[in-house]
């Protein structure tokens, strides 16, 4: 059962949800940018420079969160995103390597 913020437990992360989340080019870009960061790094959700409205940006991060790809935490009045790298790798070995090398 997802936690209060909508983060699924590792064993609840489903491949279909992950692939559906990654099917959108903007969400794929977010994950690829997080992969380029050090493990455990957090980024402000606005730092990705997505060319969409605030509500659409929130929707994209909600899809990533509910798919289990990212964790979001509140830091003061900011919301930060962190890739669930070890969770995804343990659940679907090699998936993030494929995402990292996906053509634009």
């Amino acid at each position: 059962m997802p936690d209060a913020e909508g983060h699924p437990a590792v064993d609840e992360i489903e491949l279909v949800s992950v692939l559906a989340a990654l099917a959108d080019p903007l969400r794929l870009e977010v994950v690829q940018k997080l992969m380029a960061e050090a493990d455990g790094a957090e980024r402000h959700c606005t730092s990705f420079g997505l060319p969409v409205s605030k509500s659409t940006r929130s929707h994209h991060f909600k899809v990533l969160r509910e798919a289990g790809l990212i964790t979001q935490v509140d830091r003061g009045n900011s919301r930060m995103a962190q890739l669930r790298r070890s969770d995804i790798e343990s659940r679907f070995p090699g998936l993030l390597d494929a995402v990292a090398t996906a053509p634009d």
Side-chain angles (χ1 to χ4, degrees), residues 46-69:
T46 60
S47 73
F48 295 93
L50 301 181
V52 294
S53 68
K54 182 179 178 181
S55 62
T56 301
R57 184 176 62 236
S58 294
H59 168 74
H60 283 304
F61 280 94
K62 177 182 178 188
V63 170
L64 291 169
R65 182 180 69 242
E66 290 180 349
L69 286 161

Side-chain angles (χ1 to χ4, degrees), residues 30-84:
V30 167
V31 170
Q32 288 174 327
K33 286 182 177 180
L34 285 170
M35 289 177 63
E37 300 285 335
D39 196 23
E42 296 178 348
R43 283 187 58 173
H44 192 278
C45 295
T46 60
S47 73
F48 295 93
L50 301 181
V52 294
S53 68
K54 182 179 178 181
S55 62
T56 301
R57 184 176 62 236
S58 294
H59 168 74
H60 283 304
F61 280 94
K62 177 182 178 188
V63 170
L64 291 169
R65 182 180 69 242
E66 290 180 349
L69 286 161
I70 65 168
T71 299
Q72 284 188 287
V73 293
D74 292 327
R75 301 275 187 242
N77 62 352
S78 297
R79 190 145 236 222
M80 307 294 280
Q82 181 182 54
L83 183 65
R84 292 180 66 176

